Amino acid sequence: MNGASREALAAARENLNALTDSTSVDATVLADELAAVTALLDREVSLRRVLTDPAQAGEAKAELAGRLLSGQVGGAAVDLVSGMVRSRWSRSRDLVDALEELADTADLVAAERAGALEDVEDELFRFGRTVASSSELRAALTSRTASRTAQTELLHTLLGGKARPATERLVTRLVGQPRGRSLEGGLEALSKLAAERRDRSVAVVTSAVPLSDWQRERLSAALASLYGRQVHLNLDVDPDVLGGIAVRIGDEVINGSIADRLDEAQRRMAG
């Protein structure tokens, strides 16, 4: 997103945080309702264009959204959507993308309240690795001919009782409503969103052998100093790394041996 859409999304995030700070709001229900609105506007292109038309007054668009959604979703969801359509969006699709993010965030809020946010973040990462390593599983979950019911049942078999409820809900919604995203890309985005909820970055660390506790602590401390914020390590093992490590944070990839990269990190901190 850029320009007006970035500002509108920032305002929507603040409104969601204000709503979910109240324990009277059921975050899981809110997530379902926002996901339903996302699906509606993703499907109804003409409607979302009307709701993001810069030539229309914001209050008029908010009133239209309220009339359409009242009785279909709860008051919290209506208030959020009404506030969003009052804002200016660079593209009509940006509104749908923002709603989808808020739905996912609401599920993460529910996990946070349950003290399970770190578990959800880890489970999303590990499920992403499972998908990446199994072409059969990926095919089953992304098939356009498979029924949604069959895919949901498969996910419940894989995750039900083994992962946190929020993880299963997030993955099930991603599979059911991919909206043009790859499964791997969607899982990575969810993991990043969970990390942002915890106010930290995620480093995907691939090493030839499992890192020791000392190595993990040293790497985490060095990365935190470099980036000026806490960095969570998602660890993966790949013998092809040949004794070194690869660290990816967002779009930045750092390759090299553990000792070399840590020495470089220390030099950069000293400079």
Side-chain angles (χ1 to χ4, degrees):
M1 293 184 188
N2 54 44
S5 289
R6 276 204 307 268
E7 294 179 6
L9 175 57
R13 287 169 173 163
E14 290 182 7
N15 289 339
L16 176 68
N17 287 334
L19 272 174
T20 54
D21 280 346
S22 168
T23 56
S24 64
V25 174
D26 188 321
T28 300
V29 171
L30 181 60
D32 283 339
E33 292 175 341
L34 292 174
V37 179
T38 300
L40 170 66
L41 296 184
D42 190 52
R43 183 174 64 250
E44 302 294 339
V45 179
S46 297
L47 175 58
R48 77 167 184 253
R49 286 177 177 166
V50 170
L51 292 175
T52 55
D53 184 356
Q56 301 297 319
E59 196 57 39
K61 291 183 287 187
E63 290 177 2
L64 174 59
R67 289 197 304 271
L68 290 172
L69 299 177
S70 292
Q72 307 300 314
V73 297
V78 173
D79 289 344
L80 272 175
V81 177
S82 296
M84 292 173 76
V85 300
R86 286 190 184 95
S87 297
R88 190 178 184 88
W89 298 87
S90 304
R91 302 182 309 161
S92 65
R93 187 173 179 82
D94 289 347
L95 171 62
V96 188
D97 292 342
L99 277 165
E100 181 177 61
E101 179 187 309
L102 295 191
D104 292 337
T105 300
D107 264 327
L108 293 173
V109 169
E112 187 175 33
R113 288 178 178 175
L117 186 54
E118 184 172 4
D119 289 342
V120 170
E121 182 185 336
D122 185 61
E123 289 163 359
L124 288 168
F125 172 75
R126 293 186 181 282
F127 189 72
R129 301 305 300 170
T130 299
V131 169
S133 65
S134 174
S135 58
E136 291 183 0
L137 176 58
R138 186 185 187 281
L141 294 176
T142 59
S143 172
R144 294 184 177 181
T145 58
S147 71
R148 294 285 170 81
T149 299
Q151 290 174 329
T152 299
E153 290 176 351
L154 174 58
L155 286 171
H156 185 65
T157 299
L158 294 169
L159 299 174
K162 306 176 185 69
R164 294 286 186 166
T167 303
E168 184 176 354
R169 286 167 51 79
L170 287 164
V171 175
T172 300
R173 188 158 62 239
L174 171 63
V175 170
Q177 300 178 28
R179 301 188 55 244
R181 297 168 299 178
S182 70
L183 181 54
E184 295 89 340
L187 288 167
E188 183 174 350
L190 287 171
S191 182
K192 182 179 179 181
L193 190 63
E196 289 174 349
R197 184 72 194 173
R198 302 180 66 197
D199 195 26
R200 63 183 188 175
S201 295
V202 173
V204 177
V205 181
T206 306
S207 58
V209 296
L211 300 183
S212 67
D213 290 343
W214 177 81
Q215 289 171 322
R216 289 197 299 270
E217 291 173 5
R218 190 178 176 197
L219 178 59
S220 181
L223 292 172
S225 296
L226 281 174
Y227 288 93
R229 56 188 182 272
Q230 186 180 5
V231 177
H232 174 67
L233 305 183
N234 276 338
L235 304 175
D236 194 23
V237 176
D238 182 355
D240 291 339
V241 176
L242 300 178
I245 63 171
V247 179
R248 179 165 58 86
I249 299 181
D251 295 329
E252 183 177 0
V253 178
I254 305 171
N255 292 303
S257 72
I258 296 171
D260 288 346
R261 298 315 301 177
L262 287 173
D263 288 342
E264 180 180 338
Q266 291 173 339
R267 287 195 298 273
R268 287 173 63 181
M269 284 186 286

